[in-house]
Every structure is written in C-alpha cells, then in structure tokens.
RNA sequence: GCCACCGUAGCUCAGUGGUAGAGCAGCUGUUUCGUAAACAGCAGGUCACCCGUUCAAAUCGGGUCGGUGGCUCCA
C-alpha cells in the first residue's frame, strides 16, 4: 500500500492528496473518452477546488448517455491496478508524440525551454502532464462525473468552444457522498426557489433579469435600506435623489460612453440621445459641482439608493445575484487624499456592523493595487494604496494584496463574505477614484484660498440590495434573522372558539411593533404549524383553551424547539428582545 | 454573446403521432382538532410563441422568446 493512501493521510495533506487524486481521475476519464471517441482532441484536464474537469474537442457534444458510458469505462480501469508512470522527454520527442494533438502542441510551445517536459502514462494512455499523480488507478476509491458544459479553449471567447466534462473524486465513498449531499444542500437553499415559496419575488419574461418584489420581499428589501439609513445617520452620510436618465453628454464626460456603452440602455427622444444610469457617480459629481465647496465641508458623503440599469448579456444573469435592474446602498465620498484613511476605516466599521446584524460571518478582503495602465503619479498611488492598506490593517480584517488588479483610476478593496455552506460572495466594494474628479474638474477651496482637487471614494457596503438579499436567503436558507423576517410571529388558534383570544394576542403584538399574523384558516393546528414552518416564521404562538384561560401563549420556534406555555407578557418581551438585538 | 439541456394547470411533474393527466396549492362544504399535511366535491391548460411536415402534432423539423448548467464578461 502506498505511503499516502487514504487510510493514513495526514489531514493537513488532504488537500494535496485530493489534488493529486482528482488530477489522476481526469486522466482516467480522458483515457475513456479517447477510447470511445477516437477522434477527440485533448485540451487540458486540471483538478479544481471541488473536483476536476477535462476539455475535449469532439465532433458532437457529449450526451448524458455518453457520460454514463465514459463512467462505466472508467470503473473498469480502476477495478484493476494500473500504475501511473512519469516520463521526461525532449521537446522534439514531445512534439512528435503529440503531433496529432494541436492543443497539446500549443501547450508544449508554451513550456519554457529550461523546464522539463513530462508525461504520465497509465495503461496505453499517455498525456502531457506535470503531475503529480497517485500511484495507480486502484487508489481511486470514489468518483463521479457531474456535468457537461461548453468552455472556450484557454478561456478566450474568440477561440474554439470545447466540450468540458466536470467530475469530482474523493478519498472515500463517504467523503464523496458528503460532497454530493452538500450540493443538494446548496440546491435546497437556492434563493430563486425560496423566493417563490416564501412569496418574496418573481421574474417575468417580459422584463428579463429584473425582479418583481412582492409585498413580503419589498418589506425585507426596505428593512435593509432602512437599516443602512440608520447607519448613515451615525456615520455622517447625506442621502440624495438623482435622475434616472441623462443626456449622453454626461456619459461622454464620465467615460462611460467609451468604456461601458455595451452595458447601457440608450433612449432617443426629440432627436437627443439619453442613457439610463448604470451608476450614480456622475450624478453625484454634478451635485458636487452645483455649489462651490470649502475644505471645511469635506468629506461630503452622498448616499443614493437610486435604481440602476445595466444591460447584462443574456446567459450571465442569475436570480437576484446578477440582474439588469437593481439598486445599491451606494455612496460617494468627496474628500482630500489625507482624509481617505479615516473614511475607509469608517466604511470597514460599517461593514462589520451590518454584516454581523445580518448574521454573516467575518468577511475576507482583497486590496487591488496599481495596474500597468493607470492615471496619476506614482506618488499619488503610493499615498492611495497606503491609505487603503493602513485602514485594512487597523480594521483587523484579514486581507490579501493583489498586484496589478486595481482599476485604472485607483486602488480598490473588495470584500468576500462566506455563507453558511462555505461559498464566497463578493459584496462590498470600496474604490478610490482620482479620475472622475479630473474629468469633472471638481475642486474645493483650500485653507490658503487656492483651488484643490478632491478625490472620490466609491463605496457600497451591502453592494446591490438585490444581490445581498439573494445571498442572505441562501445563507439563512430562507430563515431570516428575526428583525428581517417578513412575518415575525403567527398566532395559531387551535379551534374556532379560540379565534377571539388569538386576535387579542395578535393585536397586542402588533401594538408592540411586531409583524404578526393570525392563521384563522379552517385547518387543523398541525397543518397551521406546518405552514408556519414552511414559511420559516420565527415564532408560532399556539393558543387553545388553557392559554385563553390564563392569558398565555404556547411558543414554538421554527427550529422545532418548543419552549412551551408562558404568559403573553413574557412571550412579547422575548420576541421584542430578539428583534432589538438583531439576533 | 457562445456550448449543451429545458419550457405541459399557480407549483412539482407524468404523458414519443390519434379524446391533455396526477399530487400539492385554490374554491365550496363537512370537521373544531394540542405542536410539520383532516375528509369530500368542484374548478383550473391555445401543452411558451410563430412557421412547417402530416389525414392528424404536446409529441417530428425550422425559427423566436424565456429559463437552467457552464464558458466569456462583470472598467
């Protein structure tokens, strides 16, 4: 038995082992494909975070039946022990061996002269490969082919579309089953399904990729907006309202006409061209320009929940997370460069506060640094990057610096939140901008009476409210924190004779500011409980003869937990406490 | 936009050339019940849309729209 066989792998090496294992399975798969489709041209087949894939150029796309046949062929290979053998060869040998494989030839051409060219062979199948692999096909204990998808060669949409087969493999059947279970779990949390089941939102083909928020969805949406407004008050933001549609001269001046036109909706009226705003920044620049500003006024923080429209190519939209019509908790901070550090620090504090209120964990940040092509002097970039870095360091958040990934107009911070099942979502973004102030010739009057150029910090904490809501739904599997739940409590009378008392209970809760409903339908109590569970209502207050007699309610939580009967006053206090603590 | 797949009742889905189905939801009635589905009846569809093949199309072919999974994109 090989030293690193699964039965005694050190957990810290597990990731490396899986990497090797999946890479090996992708070879076994390629071998099966070549056997079944001799004309197939092989591209690449790397392991990924959760599995592996291999890209092929074939005369016809793979069908689900093909996948099954490939999988069966693979099982024959792993039923016996076929060793993986490494071989090094010269460039000339490699080119000769892969003469019929154009993609491999391209890969060979890309290998630097001083690096070895190696192949791995198992059985009669030999593939250009750096390795490493497991010892033999017998080490493959558990794998599954998952799906077929189109993928461009080298990720370039101008190059051929290949057929990609995705699969995954684990060191044991148990681990594979657990992974497949996680995939099902993700499906169970799909916000598009929950959105319909919970009556939050829907889509209609007449407005593709544009959500309709139903009363409950709009309620949650507005709760998020109201929450941000409450933070704005504390953090010194001023909310503004700006137009939806602007003459294209504005977009020419802002640079959107040259750089973003493909994503904009254009309108012609009275021989003039207009563009629907995809972003708020140019409007905020106009607002800033409308008055002369003193250094004493800075920073000026304009917040705007304005609706934005971006034309997204069909095929890229997805539920609430990628839409064509949305709004952000957007703001633009006009300030002096030396104020940037403090502003970023405040935005990060706001991020921490709001994420915790929404039940999300500690996010991870990236700091994108100056790119090759950029505006401004090195000195400005030094100061800008230092300001962002210092603020991140002071925040205590973990972050990684990404060289060259900044925007041409300034460095930026992106935030990634992890949801309950470990997926990361990009939400907040903070971008420093030295370009727009230039384009709009923004200025303020300094202490000495001279005119100086401010910088702009673009920032959104939740990001798009739509997207944030979608992530929240998946994170909580629809069971919102109590303060965000559209219905916080439902009163369930056991029989019709309890409706009167139930109404009193509901009225009391309502007067205490709790969003409450009463289920007076002609159903058995069990069915009412079930419906409330399915709606993920945090508190079920069941009332029957006993409760009516002594002014109490029997409390059931959506977790299934059953605290039982308690005086109404106590239940009210408990619910109000949960709301106030945003737990 | 590209590749593949999909579109039948509000939802989930069956129906492969010959009279459009089920469960849930809805409505009506009966039942008045103690922590996740009472019972019965009724109603509900231009089978996404357009064009074609056929004596006959939900079913076969072409196109359009929309969706799903990927790829590319997301200054």
């Amino acid at each position: 038995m090989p030293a690193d066989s699964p039965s005694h792998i050190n957990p810290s090496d597990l990731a490396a082992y899986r990497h090797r294992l999946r890479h090996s399975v992708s070879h076994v798969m390629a071998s099966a494909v070549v056997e079944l489709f001799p004309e197939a041209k092989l591209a690449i087949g790397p392991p990924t975070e959760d599995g592996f894939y291999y890209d092929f150029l074939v005369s016809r796309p793979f069908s689900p039946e093909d996948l099954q046949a490939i999988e069966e062929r693979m099982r024959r290979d792993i039923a016996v022990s076929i060793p993986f053998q490494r071989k090094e060869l010269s460039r000339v040998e490699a080119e000769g061996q892969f003469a019929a494989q154009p993609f491999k030839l391209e890969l060979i051409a890309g290998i630097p002269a001083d690096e070895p060219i190696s192949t791995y062979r198992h059985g009669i199948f030999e593939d250009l490969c750096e390795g490493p692999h497991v010892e033999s096909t017998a080490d493959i204990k558990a794998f599954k082919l998952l799906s077929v998808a189109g993928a461009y060669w080298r990720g370039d949409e101008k190059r051929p579309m290949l057929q990609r087969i995705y699969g995954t493999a684990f060191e044991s059947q148990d681990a594979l089953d657990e992974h497949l279970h996680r995939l099902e779990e993700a499906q169970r949390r799909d916000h598009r399904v929950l959105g319909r089941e919970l009556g939050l939102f829907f889509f209609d083909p007449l407005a593709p990729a544009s959500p309709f928020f139903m009363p409950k969805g709009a309620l949650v949406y507005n709760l998020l907006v109201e929450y941000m407004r409450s933070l704005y008050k504390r953090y010194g933001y001023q909310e503004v309202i700006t137009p939806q549609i602007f003459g294209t001269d504005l977009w020419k001046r802002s640079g959107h006409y040259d750089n973003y036109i493909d994503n904009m909706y254009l309108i012609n009226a009275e021989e003039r061209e207009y563009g629907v705003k995809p972003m708020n920044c140019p409007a905020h620049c106009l607002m800033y320009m409308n008055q002369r500003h003193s250094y004493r006024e800075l920073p000026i923080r304009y917040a705007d929940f304005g609706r934005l429209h971006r034309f997204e190519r069909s095929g890229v939209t997805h539920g609430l997370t990628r839409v064509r019509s949305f709004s952000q908790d957007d703001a633009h901070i006009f300030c002096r460069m030396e104020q940037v550090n403090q502003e970023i620090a405040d935005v990060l504090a706001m991020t921490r506060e709001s994420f915790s209120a929404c039940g999300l964990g500690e996010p991870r940040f990236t700091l994108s640094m100056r790119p090759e092509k950029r505006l401004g002097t090195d000195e400005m970039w030094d100061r800008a990057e230092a300001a962002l870095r210092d603020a991140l360091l002071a925040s205590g958040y973990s972050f990684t610096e990404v060289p060259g990934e900044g925007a041409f107009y300034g460095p930026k911070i992106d935030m990634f939140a992890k949801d309950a099942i470990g997926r990361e979502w990009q939400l907040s973004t903070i971008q420093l901008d030295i370009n727009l102030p230039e384009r709009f010739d923004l200025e303020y009057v300094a202490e000495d009476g001279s005119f100086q150029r401010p910088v702009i910090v673009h920032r959104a904490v939740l990001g798009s409210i739509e997207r944030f809501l979608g992530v929240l739904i998946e994170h909580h599997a629809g069971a919102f924190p109590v303060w965000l739940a559209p219905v916080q409590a439902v009163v369930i009378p056991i029989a019709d004779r309890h409706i009167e008392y139930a109404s009193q209970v509901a009225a009391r809760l309502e007067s205490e500011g709790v969003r409450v409903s009463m289920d007076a339908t002609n159903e058995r109590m069990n069915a009412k409980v079930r419906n409330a569970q399915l709606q993920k209502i945090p508190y079920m207050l069941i009332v029957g003869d006993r409760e009516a007699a002594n002014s109490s309610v029997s409390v059931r939580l959506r977790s299934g937990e059953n605290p039982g009967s308690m005086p109404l006053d106590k239940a009210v206090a408990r619910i109000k406490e949960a709301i106030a603590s945003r737990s």
Side-chain angles (χ1 to χ4, degrees):
Chain A
M1 185 177 256
D4 54 4
S5 78
S7 53
H8 38 85
I9 327 168
N10 179 336
S12 67
D13 295 337
L14 186 59
Y17 179 78
R18 284 180 175 172
H19 201 264
R20 213 155 63 234
L21 174 71
R22 289 163 181 171
H23 199 171
S24 304
V25 182
S26 101
H27 274 224
V28 174
M29 180 171 83
S31 156
V33 168
V34 168
E35 207 171 309
L36 295 166
F37 301 83
E39 82 293 352
K41 303 294 180 214
L42 307 186
I44 52 167
T48 60
E49 197 178 332
D50 287 323
F52 62 87
Y53 64 83
Y54 209 117
D55 289 346
F56 307 93
L57 183 64
V58 275
S59 52
R60 66 165 175 88
F62 297 115
S63 68
E65 293 74 43
D66 294 333
L67 228 56
Q68 215 170 346
I70 294 165
E71 207 172 287
E72 273 164 33
R73 190 69 204 79
M74 291 170 70
R75 297 211 183 275
R76 262 182 280 168
D77 279 348
I78 67 169
V80 291
S81 179
I82 308 172
F84 284 95
Q85 292 167 312
R86 181 187 168 91
K87 189 172 93 186
E88 288 202 7
L89 59 178
S90 72
R91 187 165 298 265
V92 176
E93 285 169 333
E95 285 169 354
Q97 185 166 340
F98 293 102
Q101 293 288 346
F103 301 115
K104 296 296 178 190
L105 290 178
E106 191 174 329
L107 291 173
I108 291 167
I111 299 174
D114 55 342
E115 276 180 31
I117 297 176
S118 61
T119 63
Y120 273 79
R121 166 199 287 274
H122 72 281
I124 57 162
F125 180 80
E126 186 167 354
D127 196 5
L128 180 74
C129 179
E130 214 183 344
H133 284 276
V134 292
E135 300 267 330
S136 96
T137 55
D139 290 334
I140 299 167
K141 307 293 185 203
F143 79 94
K144 188 172 169 60
L145 302 188
L146 298 172
S147 60
V148 186
Y152 299 109
W153 167 236
R154 300 234 145 155
D156 183 342
E157 65 180 320
K158 294 189 180 58
R159 308 201 61 178
M161 172 71 68
L162 309 173
Q163 292 297 312
R164 172 174 298 178
I165 303 179
Y166 282 95
T168 191
F170 284 84
E171 62 284 357
S172 68
Q173 188 64 41
D174 282 354
L176 173 63
D177 288 345
E178 197 187 311
H179 175 73
L180 296 176
H181 184 259
R182 258 200 311 280
L183 293 180
E184 278 171 38
E185 174 67 14
Q187 227 166 14
R188 194 180 69 76
R189 291 165 174 268
D190 190 325
H191 75 276
R192 295 164 303 182
V193 176
L194 286 167
R196 186 180 55 241
E197 289 175 355
L198 301 179
L200 301 174
F201 60 86
F202 69 94
F203 291 88
D204 187 285
L206 290 171
S210 306
F212 290 63
F213 287 96
M214 292 183 274
K216 284 178 184 167
L219 184 56
V220 182
Y221 193 107
N222 284 324
L223 284 164
L224 288 170
V225 170
E226 286 308 323
Y227 175 68
M228 288 316 295
R229 285 200 171 108
S230 73
L231 293 185
Y232 286 170
K233 210 168 167 186
R234 258 199 284 134
Y235 283 89
Y237 286 73
Q238 308 175 81
E239 189 173 339
V240 299
I241 298 171
T242 52
Q244 201 64 46
I245 297 167
F246 296 84
T248 44
D249 286 348
L250 177 75
W251 306 114
K252 284 172 183 160
R253 185 160 188 188
S254 69
H256 288 84
Y257 207 88
D258 290 331
N259 299 308
Y260 206 73
I261 195 73
D262 289 345
N263 288 79
M264 286 181 63
Y265 289 97
L266 296 176
I267 297 170
N268 277 291
E270 289 182 339
E271 323 250 313
R272 190 173 168 196
E273 188 182 46
Y274 296 84
V276 181
K277 68 175 169 187
M279 298 178 196
N280 290 311
C281 19
H284 292 179
C285 287
L286 294 182
M287 190 167 280
Y288 182 90
M289 290 158 74
N290 187 247
Q291 287 166 315
R292 191 170 287 297
H293 294 286
S294 151
Y295 72 95
R296 295 172 190 277
E297 292 172 68
L298 304 184
I300 290 173
R301 308 181 191 89
Y302 290 144
D304 197 330
F305 292 100
R307 250 197 127 62
L308 306 178
H309 291 82
R310 297 182 186 173
F311 177 76
E312 302 286 359
R313 294 161 93 189
S314 64
V316 308
T317 59
H318 178 91
L320 290 182
T321 58
R322 188 86 180 266
V323 291
R324 290 181 175 152
S325 167
F326 61 102
S327 62
Q328 299 176 310
D329 62 328
D330 194 18
H332 293 95
I333 302 168
F334 298 81
C335 65
R336 304 158 74 142
M337 185 64 100
E338 55 270 30
Q339 293 172 314
V340 168
N341 185 325
Q342 182 58 46
E343 290 306 308
I344 306 287
D346 286 351
V347 174
L348 290 171
M350 212 190 230
T351 304
R352 169 164 284 144
E353 203 173 336
S354 40
F355 277 61
S356 140
C358 293
L360 290 162
E362 287 283 283
R364 176 179 73 83
F365 290 86
T366 57
L367 172 55
S368 298
M369 317 286 280
R370 69 191 77 182
E372 290 282 319
K373 280 182 68 180
R374 59 179 183 264
L375 293 173
T377 63
D378 284 351
E379 195 258 333
M380 279 179 96
W381 278 89
D382 288 342
R383 287 166 66 194
E385 288 170 356
L388 268 55
R389 183 187 299 114
D390 290 349
L392 272 171
L393 284 170
S395 76
Y397 279 129
S398 70
F399 70 99
T400 48
E401 295 189 10
V402 202
E405 282 300 300
F408 72 92
Y409 51 74
K412 61 174 184 173
I413 295 173
D414 287 316
M415 185 273 265
F416 298 85
K418 211 168 221 184
D419 74 13
I421 55 173
R423 293 168 304 180
E424 282 199 333
W425 303 86
Q426 200 207 314
L427 298 171
S428 321
T429 175
I430 307 173
Q431 306 179 352
L432 188 62
D433 188 343
I434 55 173
N435 175 47
L436 277 185
E438 202 71 36
R439 281 178 177 268
F440 283 93
D441 197 22
L442 304 184
E443 48 190 29
Y444 64 88
V445 182
E447 295 92 321
D448 61 3
S450 65
F451 291 107
Q452 299 291 329
R453 183 90 66 222
V455 298
I456 298 178
V457 176
H458 309 249
R459 48 103 286 176
V461 174
L462 307 183
S464 141
I465 312 290
E466 278 73 3
R467 183 182 171 80
F468 188 80
L469 186 51
V471 171
L472 261 195
I473 292 169
E474 304 218 354
H475 176 63
H476 293 294
F480 291 108
V482 183
W483 74 275
L484 277 172
V487 178
Q488 295 166 317
V490 57
V491 186
I492 297 178
I494 289 176
D496 286 356
R497 65 178 178 281
H498 308 123
I499 288 180
E500 197 190 328
Y501 175 62
S503 324
Q504 291 168 20
V505 171
R508 167 74 191 284
L509 284 157
E510 180 137 27
S511 73
E512 300 274 0
V514 177
R515 291 186 294 275
V516 63
S517 68
M518 176 174 69
D519 187 347
T521 56
N522 182 13
E523 289 287 352
R524 289 168 66 218
M525 181 210 53
N526 289 332
K528 295 181 187 179
V529 168
R530 178 168 194 271
N531 290 335
Q533 286 286 154
L534 292 174
Q535 288 297 303
K536 324 257 183 190
I537 299 172
Y539 294 94
M540 282 155 261
L541 308 176
I542 295 154
V543 299
D545 292 331
R546 295 199 292 272
E547 288 75 17
N550 63 3
S551 286
S552 65
V553 291
S554 175
V555 179
R556 179 191 161 109
L557 310 181
R558 63 187 163 188
S559 60
E561 202 183 327
N562 194 346
S565 276
M566 63 181 75
L568 178 56
D569 287 339
K570 191 175 165 197
V572 169
R574 182 172 174 155
I575 295 169
K576 284 176 72 177
E577 161 57 23
I579 295 170
S581 67
R582 296 192 196 278
S583 61

